[in-house]
Each structure stands twice: as C-alpha cells, then as structure tokens.
Amino acid sequence: GAVVSQHPSWVICKSGTSVKIECRSLDFQATTMFWYRQFPKQSLMLMATSNEGSKATYEQGVEKDKFLINHASLTLSTLTVTSAHPEDSSFYICSAGRTSGRVSYNEQFFGPGTRLTVL
Amino acid sequence: GQNIDQPTEMTATEGAIVQINCTYQTSGFNGLFWYQQHAGEAPTFLSYNVLDGLEEKGRFSSFLSRSKGYSYLLLKELQMKDSASYLCAVYTGFQKLVFGTGTRLLVSP
C-alpha cells in the first residue's frame, strides 16, 4: 500500500503564533505533494503544489508568505501557518502523488489531516 | 474557471440504492475520481473514470459522460457505514485534482 502520515493530527494555538504541519509518505517516494484546506461542511480546496527541491506553486488567493511550504526530501513536506489567526482554523490535508505504471492515472494518497484551531 | 457541482445532501434508507450526480466544467480533463470521506478523516479512493461508460466495483459503480460533463456514483445495498461525504474530483492534468462541493449522504435504518 501507500501510506501518508500527518503530524500533528490536531493542534490548538494562540493567535499570532506559527504552526508547522508535517506530511510524510511512509513507504514510497513522492516527488509531488499537495496541500488542501477544508472548512466545515465544505469540500477540499487545493492550496499549493509542492515539488521536491523546488518552490511550491500556490493557488490563486493563497498567500505564500503566510503558508510556507517546504519539500526538502522525497518523503517529507511541511506546511507552516505563520502568524495564525482564528480565520485560519480549518482541516488541513496533504496528499502525496505517485506515478505508477500499474494504473493509468497519477495516484494521490491522502494523509489523515490536521485539525487546526486558532484561539 | 473550474466548476464542479454536486447536490449538497442526500438521504436514503438502509438497503436502498442511491445515485449521486456530479456535473463539471473544467479547463482540462484527464479523468474523474470519486472519494468517500467520513467526518474528520481523509478522503479514500472509490473510483476513477477516464472513458465514457460504467465502471462497476462491488456495491459501488461510477458512470462518466465526457460529452455531457457528467458523472454519477451509484451505491447499492446501502449500509449505515455508507453515511459519509462523497467527493467528485476532476483530474485536470499536471497532477492537479479539483474537487467538487461534496455530497453528504445520510443512511437511515
């Protein structure tokens, strides 16, 4: 299988602090990782695409200076929410992409998500 | 722009059949995924369609019509554990998935 982990699974922080979320592909190498945000009762919104060793590509409307993404290795990407505010409270989900000849599409495997609450 | 629409909520009873529709208008199309997501958990893969027609996998089937920009997920013999959100997502290329609004399905006894 292909397992993706996220840490922490939940975090509560004070307004103005920074929070780092890790996303790891445990049993495969992921050249591309994706970060999504999901507000309650809404669908997943892609925030950014992260390629190992290069700068992340952010979706329109996502502040790159606020949501810092680092993809330092083929198995680890981190999202840092800087100077978090209550409106940043959300469910953050990462996924790791794997190109496989076994299937006709590029598979994405999702992490279990991180619930961020900013007080 | 990207536009993927699904009904917001659906209800059904245990043992019944339910069809969840998805219509899409996207700048690119390289296939359509259906995911199941339980509250507070990550989405799990259900199906992938890239050609027109019906793909059957156990109790779940997925249909695609590219000319109509339309897909549906069919769930048979509903069980209580099928209560979840069902997400339609279009693979637009460059490994990018664009998700629909999601449909919350409630299965009652």
PDB file of all heavy atoms in Angstrom, chain B residues 84-102:
ATOM      1  N   ALA B  84     -21.627   9.259   4.805  1.00  0.00           N
ATOM      2  CA  ALA B  84     -20.339   9.947   4.651  1.00  0.00           C
ATOM      3  C   ALA B  84     -20.533  11.047   3.610  1.00  0.00           C
ATOM      4  O   ALA B  84     -21.620  11.194   3.042  1.00  0.00           O
ATOM      5  CB  ALA B  84     -19.244   8.984   4.192  1.00  0.00           C
ATOM      6  N   SER B  85     -19.479  11.782   3.366  1.00  0.00           N
ATOM      7  CA  SER B  85     -19.482  12.717   2.244  1.00  0.00           C
ATOM      8  C   SER B  85     -18.841  12.045   1.046  1.00  0.00           C
ATOM      9  O   SER B  85     -17.878  11.279   1.194  1.00  0.00           O
ATOM     10  CB  SER B  85     -18.708  13.990   2.598  1.00  0.00           C
ATOM     11  OG  SER B  85     -19.426  14.788   3.496  1.00  0.00           O
ATOM     12  N   TYR B  86     -19.382  12.328  -0.127  1.00  0.00           N
ATOM     13  CA  TYR B  86     -18.850  11.755  -1.354  1.00  0.00           C
ATOM     14  C   TYR B  86     -18.385  12.910  -2.239  1.00  0.00           C
ATOM     15  O   TYR B  86     -19.149  13.829  -2.557  1.00  0.00           O
ATOM     16  CB  TYR B  86     -19.902  10.886  -2.039  1.00  0.00           C
ATOM     17  CG  TYR B  86     -20.159   9.639  -1.227  1.00  0.00           C
ATOM     18  CD1 TYR B  86     -21.073   9.646  -0.175  1.00  0.00           C
ATOM     19  CD2 TYR B  86     -19.426   8.475  -1.449  1.00  0.00           C
ATOM     20  CE1 TYR B  86     -21.262   8.529   0.611  1.00  0.00           C
ATOM     21  CE2 TYR B  86     -19.615   7.348  -0.673  1.00  0.00           C
ATOM     22  CZ  TYR B  86     -20.530   7.383   0.363  1.00  0.00           C
ATOM     23  OH  TYR B  86     -20.705   6.275   1.153  1.00  0.00           O
ATOM     24  N   LEU B  87     -17.127  12.850  -2.595  1.00  0.00           N
ATOM     25  CA  LEU B  87     -16.491  13.941  -3.324  1.00  0.00           C
ATOM     26  C   LEU B  87     -16.181  13.524  -4.750  1.00  0.00           C
ATOM     27  O   LEU B  87     -15.549  12.483  -4.978  1.00  0.00           O
ATOM     28  CB  LEU B  87     -15.185  14.356  -2.635  1.00  0.00           C
ATOM     29  CG  LEU B  87     -15.244  14.626  -1.134  1.00  0.00           C
ATOM     30  CD1 LEU B  87     -13.849  14.946  -0.606  1.00  0.00           C
ATOM     31  CD2 LEU B  87     -16.189  15.763  -0.833  1.00  0.00           C
ATOM     32  N   CYS B  88     -16.612  14.333  -5.669  1.00  0.00           N
ATOM     33  CA  CYS B  88     -16.290  14.176  -7.075  1.00  0.00           C
ATOM     34  C   CYS B  88     -15.080  15.062  -7.345  1.00  0.00           C
ATOM     35  O   CYS B  88     -15.041  16.211  -6.876  1.00  0.00           O
ATOM     36  CB  CYS B  88     -17.508  14.607  -7.877  1.00  0.00           C
ATOM     37  SG  CYS B  88     -17.275  14.869  -9.629  1.00  0.00           S
ATOM     38  N   ALA B  89     -14.088  14.573  -8.059  1.00  0.00           N
ATOM     39  CA  ALA B  89     -12.890  15.384  -8.323  1.00  0.00           C
ATOM     40  C   ALA B  89     -12.417  15.146  -9.745  1.00  0.00           C
ATOM     41  O   ALA B  89     -12.336  13.993 -10.190  1.00  0.00           O
ATOM     42  CB  ALA B  89     -11.780  15.031  -7.334  1.00  0.00           C
ATOM     43  N   VAL B  90     -12.125  16.208 -10.431  1.00  0.00           N
ATOM     44  CA  VAL B  90     -11.631  16.110 -11.810  1.00  0.00           C
ATOM     45  C   VAL B  90     -10.120  16.272 -11.829  1.00  0.00           C
ATOM     46  O   VAL B  90      -9.569  17.183 -11.214  1.00  0.00           O
ATOM     47  CB  VAL B  90     -12.281  17.185 -12.703  1.00  0.00           C
ATOM     48  CG1 VAL B  90     -11.625  17.212 -14.079  1.00  0.00           C
ATOM     49  CG2 VAL B  90     -13.783  16.922 -12.840  1.00  0.00           C
ATOM     50  N   TYR B  91      -9.479  15.377 -12.502  1.00  0.00           N
ATOM     51  CA  TYR B  91      -8.031  15.450 -12.698  1.00  0.00           C
ATOM     52  C   TYR B  91      -7.808  16.308 -13.939  1.00  0.00           C
ATOM     53  O   TYR B  91      -8.069  15.874 -15.068  1.00  0.00           O
ATOM     54  CB  TYR B  91      -7.480  14.033 -12.883  1.00  0.00           C
ATOM     55  CG  TYR B  91      -6.000  13.950 -13.106  1.00  0.00           C
ATOM     56  CD1 TYR B  91      -5.109  14.628 -12.296  1.00  0.00           C
ATOM     57  CD2 TYR B  91      -5.486  13.154 -14.134  1.00  0.00           C
ATOM     58  CE1 TYR B  91      -3.757  14.532 -12.505  1.00  0.00           C
ATOM     59  CE2 TYR B  91      -4.134  13.059 -14.351  1.00  0.00           C
ATOM     60  CZ  TYR B  91      -3.262  13.749 -13.542  1.00  0.00           C
ATOM     61  OH  TYR B  91      -1.914  13.657 -13.753  1.00  0.00           O
ATOM     62  N   THR B  92      -7.345  17.521 -13.711  1.00  0.00           N
ATOM     63  CA  THR B  92      -7.254  18.470 -14.818  1.00  0.00           C
ATOM     64  C   THR B  92      -5.913  18.398 -15.538  1.00  0.00           C
ATOM     65  O   THR B  92      -5.726  19.049 -16.562  1.00  0.00           O
ATOM     66  CB  THR B  92      -7.458  19.912 -14.320  1.00  0.00           C
ATOM     67  OG1 THR B  92      -6.430  20.215 -13.356  1.00  0.00           O
ATOM     68  CG2 THR B  92      -8.815  20.083 -13.676  1.00  0.00           C
ATOM     69  N   GLY B  93      -5.025  17.570 -15.016  1.00  0.00           N
ATOM     70  CA  GLY B  93      -3.697  17.495 -15.606  1.00  0.00           C
ATOM     71  C   GLY B  93      -2.690  18.137 -14.678  1.00  0.00           C
ATOM     72  O   GLY B  93      -3.053  18.795 -13.704  1.00  0.00           O
ATOM     73  N   PHE B  94      -1.400  17.970 -14.987  1.00  0.00           N
ATOM     74  CA  PHE B  94      -0.340  18.468 -14.117  1.00  0.00           C
ATOM     75  C   PHE B  94      -0.539  17.963 -12.683  1.00  0.00           C
ATOM     76  O   PHE B  94      -0.252  18.673 -11.718  1.00  0.00           O
ATOM     77  CB  PHE B  94      -0.247  19.997 -14.137  1.00  0.00           C
ATOM     78  CG  PHE B  94      -0.080  20.560 -15.508  1.00  0.00           C
ATOM     79  CD1 PHE B  94      -1.154  21.117 -16.176  1.00  0.00           C
ATOM     80  CD2 PHE B  94       1.133  20.488 -16.160  1.00  0.00           C
ATOM     81  CE1 PHE B  94      -1.009  21.631 -17.464  1.00  0.00           C
ATOM     82  CE2 PHE B  94       1.288  20.983 -17.447  1.00  0.00           C
ATOM     83  CZ  PHE B  94       0.207  21.563 -18.101  1.00  0.00           C
ATOM     84  N   GLN B  95      -1.065  16.764 -12.552  1.00  0.00           N
ATOM     85  CA  GLN B  95      -1.321  16.105 -11.275  1.00  0.00           C
ATOM     86  C   GLN B  95      -2.298  16.866 -10.387  1.00  0.00           C
ATOM     87  O   GLN B  95      -2.360  16.627  -9.185  1.00  0.00           O
ATOM     88  CB  GLN B  95      -0.008  15.889 -10.509  1.00  0.00           C
ATOM     89  CG  GLN B  95       0.997  15.032 -11.259  1.00  0.00           C
ATOM     90  CD  GLN B  95       2.134  14.598 -10.364  1.00  0.00           C
ATOM     91  OE1 GLN B  95       1.924  13.873  -9.401  1.00  0.00           O
ATOM     92  NE2 GLN B  95       3.329  15.047 -10.669  1.00  0.00           N
ATOM     93  N   LYS B  96      -3.051  17.790 -10.929  1.00  0.00           N
ATOM     94  CA  LYS B  96      -3.919  18.610 -10.103  1.00  0.00           C
ATOM     95  C   LYS B  96      -5.344  18.062 -10.077  1.00  0.00           C
ATOM     96  O   LYS B  96      -5.955  17.791 -11.106  1.00  0.00           O
ATOM     97  CB  LYS B  96      -3.933  20.038 -10.638  1.00  0.00           C
ATOM     98  CG  LYS B  96      -4.645  21.033  -9.736  1.00  0.00           C
ATOM     99  CD  LYS B  96      -4.599  22.432 -10.308  1.00  0.00           C
ATOM    100  CE  LYS B  96      -3.211  23.014 -10.189  1.00  0.00           C
ATOM    101  NZ  LYS B  96      -3.206  24.455 -10.535  1.00  0.00           N
ATOM    102  N   LEU B  97      -5.859  17.887  -8.862  1.00  0.00           N
ATOM    103  CA  LEU B  97      -7.233  17.464  -8.655  1.00  0.00           C
ATOM    104  C   LEU B  97      -8.063  18.658  -8.231  1.00  0.00           C
ATOM    105  O   LEU B  97      -7.692  19.375  -7.308  1.00  0.00           O
ATOM    106  CB  LEU B  97      -7.312  16.405  -7.556  1.00  0.00           C
ATOM    107  CG  LEU B  97      -7.042  14.959  -7.906  1.00  0.00           C
ATOM    108  CD1 LEU B  97      -7.097  14.103  -6.645  1.00  0.00           C
ATOM    109  CD2 LEU B  97      -8.017  14.435  -8.929  1.00  0.00           C
ATOM    110  N   VAL B  98      -9.207  18.845  -8.893  1.00  0.00           N
ATOM    111  CA  VAL B  98     -10.139  19.885  -8.486  1.00  0.00           C
ATOM    112  C   VAL B  98     -11.378  19.204  -7.934  1.00  0.00           C
ATOM    113  O   VAL B  98     -12.015  18.405  -8.629  1.00  0.00           O
ATOM    114  CB  VAL B  98     -10.519  20.798  -9.669  1.00  0.00           C
ATOM    115  CG1 VAL B  98     -11.528  21.851  -9.221  1.00  0.00           C
ATOM    116  CG2 VAL B  98      -9.275  21.465 -10.241  1.00  0.00           C
ATOM    117  N   PHE B  99     -11.693  19.507  -6.691  1.00  0.00           N
ATOM    118  CA  PHE B  99     -12.785  18.823  -6.013  1.00  0.00           C
ATOM    119  C   PHE B  99     -14.107  19.553  -6.175  1.00  0.00           C
ATOM    120  O   PHE B  99     -14.165  20.784  -6.220  1.00  0.00           O
ATOM    121  CB  PHE B  99     -12.471  18.676  -4.519  1.00  0.00           C
ATOM    122  CG  PHE B  99     -11.514  17.569  -4.223  1.00  0.00           C
ATOM    123  CD1 PHE B  99     -10.149  17.761  -4.336  1.00  0.00           C
ATOM    124  CD2 PHE B  99     -11.983  16.318  -3.854  1.00  0.00           C
ATOM    125  CE1 PHE B  99      -9.248  16.725  -4.081  1.00  0.00           C
ATOM    126  CE2 PHE B  99     -11.099  15.280  -3.584  1.00  0.00           C
ATOM    127  CZ  PHE B  99      -9.738  15.482  -3.710  1.00  0.00           C
ATOM    128  N   GLY B 100     -15.163  18.775  -6.242  1.00  0.00           N
ATOM    129  CA  GLY B 100     -16.498  19.316  -6.224  1.00  0.00           C
ATOM    130  C   GLY B 100     -16.900  19.722  -4.823  1.00  0.00           C
ATOM    131  O   GLY B 100     -16.131  19.600  -3.872  1.00  0.00           O
ATOM    132  N   THR B 101     -18.114  20.165  -4.738  1.00  0.00           N
ATOM    133  CA  THR B 101     -18.629  20.693  -3.469  1.00  0.00           C
ATOM    134  C   THR B 101     -18.893  19.608  -2.441  1.00  0.00           C
ATOM    135  O   THR B 101     -19.016  19.893  -1.266  1.00  0.00           O
ATOM    136  CB  THR B 101     -19.918  21.471  -3.734  1.00  0.00           C
ATOM    137  OG1 THR B 101     -20.785  20.669  -4.547  1.00  0.00           O
ATOM    138  CG2 THR B 101     -19.625  22.775  -4.474  1.00  0.00           C
ATOM    139  N   GLY B 102     -18.982  18.366  -2.886  1.00  0.00           N
ATOM    140  CA  GLY B 102     -19.210  17.261  -1.960  1.00  0.00           C
ATOM    141  C   GLY B 102     -20.689  17.050  -1.660  1.00  0.00           C
ATOM    142  O   GLY B 102     -21.469  18.005  -1.599  1.00  0.00           O
TER     143      GLY B 102
END
